[in-house]
Amino acid sequence: MIGKTFVLAAASVAAMAGACPAQQQVDRRLATGAGGAVEISNVSGSVRVTAWDRNEVQVTGTLGRGTERLDFANEGGRVVVRVVLPRSGHDIRGSDLEVRVPAGKDVTVRTVSADAGVAGVNGLVDARSVSGDLRVTGRPREVIANTKSGDVSVTVSSDRVHAESVSGDVEVHGAARRGLEVNSVSGDVASDAATSDARVGTVSGEVSVAGVTGRLEVSTVSGEIHAEGRRLQGSFQSVSGDVRIEGDLDPSGAMQINTHSGDVSLALPSGASAEIDMSSFSGDVETGGSGARITRSSGRDRHVSVGSGGARVTVRTFSGDLVLSR
């Protein structure tokens, strides 16, 4: 009886091992053209994509225990790299992939909890995850980086960048020549990327923006806003966070700054020119030391001229203080 029980137990363990294969090493290559697209999907673990000067795609790394297989094929000009999991199973481990691609490829990455990094690609980079962190570096034509609860880090020289997280922090460095959009809900947002058009927003996180020459639109609910730039125009909206803006203004542009209970500080460089309307319901309005000429004053409302006029600025707050300085 004991011997029979032992044999049955051993057979059961062997069957479980067969149903849940061990970790597998991967090293596969596929010839391809210099252009086109590569699409990569992995549920958990990690994905790291790097560009090289060969007209082939190489996949190395490990498939986690319990993984069914790796799909790796050229499907109508698209190279597909897909980690396939069984429809039902337990104790499935994450897979770690390193994918080398021709630099001119467009790269799409989709994960659930896997972190993803893309480096050196010159085409479009479109990386999206549910809870994984995303990191993009290099000179891609355009970047889309979107995650729900992970952090996003983008350091590129690109035409356009769209970086977004729900509860993670987002940071962008380098250049987004034609446009930049950065958003988070509860995370902090920071960008010093050079651009001529930026839209930045968060709900409860802080916003720090520099490097903009041109239009800048920033919004937050309870976070603070700190913006620096040149020839600025656009809008700044906050409910309870303070707003601090430093830089010169587009002489033919307009700027609107609105808060409910946050303070507003506008620091202009020597030589700036603007017509500024400043109004607060219960806060103080200060222009001392700015060199501004008060052309109209009524209660806590001020209309001031800086330099020879030019840029049109409207500053409104309910209970916050307004400070204009050099």
Side-chain angles (χ1 to χ4, degrees):
M1 180 67 68
I2 295 176
K4 183 177 180 180
T5 301
F6 177 80
V7 170
L8 290 174
S12 177
V13 170
M16 291 176 62
C20 188
Q23 188 180 67
Q24 307 170 55
Q25 295 296 317
V26 175
D27 187 353
R28 298 174 62 180
R29 295 172 183 251
L30 183 65
T32 182
V38 178
E39 298 181 2
I40 305 164
S41 62
N42 184 19
V43 174
S44 64
S46 65
V47 175
R48 185 170 67 178
V49 183
T50 56
W52 63 357
D53 58 0
R54 303 179 186 179
N55 284 343
E56 64 179 3
V57 176
Q58 180 189 44
V59 181
T60 59
T62 57
L63 299 181
R65 187 172 65 185
T67 300
E68 183 174 306
R69 67 181 187 277
L70 176 72
D71 283 348
F72 182 40
N74 192 327
E75 298 180 356
R78 297 178 300 113
V79 176
V80 174
V81 181
R82 182 184 300 116
V83 177
V84 180
L85 303 181
R87 292 185 178 181
S88 61
H90 63 280
D91 196 24
I92 298 175
R93 302 299 175 88
S95 298
D96 298 309
L97 301 182
E98 294 191 18
V99 185
R100 291 173 176 82
V101 303
K105 292 284 191 184
D106 293 340
V107 173
T108 299
V109 180
R110 297 289 185 267
T111 76
V112 177
S113 60
D115 297 337
V118 182
V121 173
N122 297 331
L124 166 70
V125 173
D126 184 348
R128 308 189 191 203
S129 181
V130 176
S131 60
D133 295 338
L134 303 177
R135 180 177 180 85
V136 182
T137 61
R139 304 177 65 87
R141 181 179 72 254
E142 182 177 352
V143 176
I144 301 170
N146 185 311
T147 183
K148 296 297 186 289
S149 60
D151 296 333
V152 178
S153 175
V154 178
T155 304
V156 297
S157 177
S158 182
D159 284 342
R160 299 184 184 277
V161 173
H162 182 124
E164 184 174 16
S165 180
V166 175
S167 59
D169 297 335
V170 183
E171 60 178 41
V172 181
H173 308 285
R177 291 174 291 274
R178 297 185 180 179
L180 170 69
E181 187 169 351
V182 187
N183 295 288
S184 182
V185 176
S186 59
D188 295 336
V189 172
S191 172
D192 58 10
T195 187
S196 60
D197 188 349
R199 291 169 174 80
V200 183
T202 184
V203 175
S204 60
E206 296 184 359
V207 176
S208 175
V209 186
V212 179
T213 302
R215 175 167 295 279
L216 175 57
E217 297 181 4
V218 182
S219 64
T220 183
V221 176
S222 59
E224 295 184 357
I225 297 173
H226 178 208
E228 300 180 19
R230 298 180 57 250
R231 298 181 65 85
L232 289 174
Q233 61 175 309
S235 64
F236 300 81
Q237 311 287 334
S238 175
V239 176
S240 60
D242 296 339
V243 178
R244 186 168 85 247
I245 302 172
E246 302 175 28
D248 64 353
L249 308 177
D250 186 332
S252 61
M255 178 181 291
Q256 294 183 338
I257 308 169
N258 295 285
T259 77
H260 186 268
S261 58
D263 297 334
V264 176
S265 172
L266 177 60
L268 302 179
S270 177
S273 294
E275 297 289 336
I276 306 174
D277 279 313
M278 308 173 68
S279 176
S280 178
F281 182 78
S282 60
D284 295 329
V285 179
E286 301 178 11
T287 61
S290 65
R293 304 181 306 280
I294 299 176
T295 57
R296 186 175 69 250
S297 178
S298 175
R300 289 184 170 85
D301 295 346
R302 301 281 192 279
H303 181 91
V304 302
S305 293
V306 179
S308 59
R312 302 177 305 281
V313 180
T314 303
V315 185
R316 297 283 186 268
T317 184
F318 184 77
S319 60
D321 297 333
L322 308 182
V323 178
L324 176 64
S325 64
R326 291 276 178 145

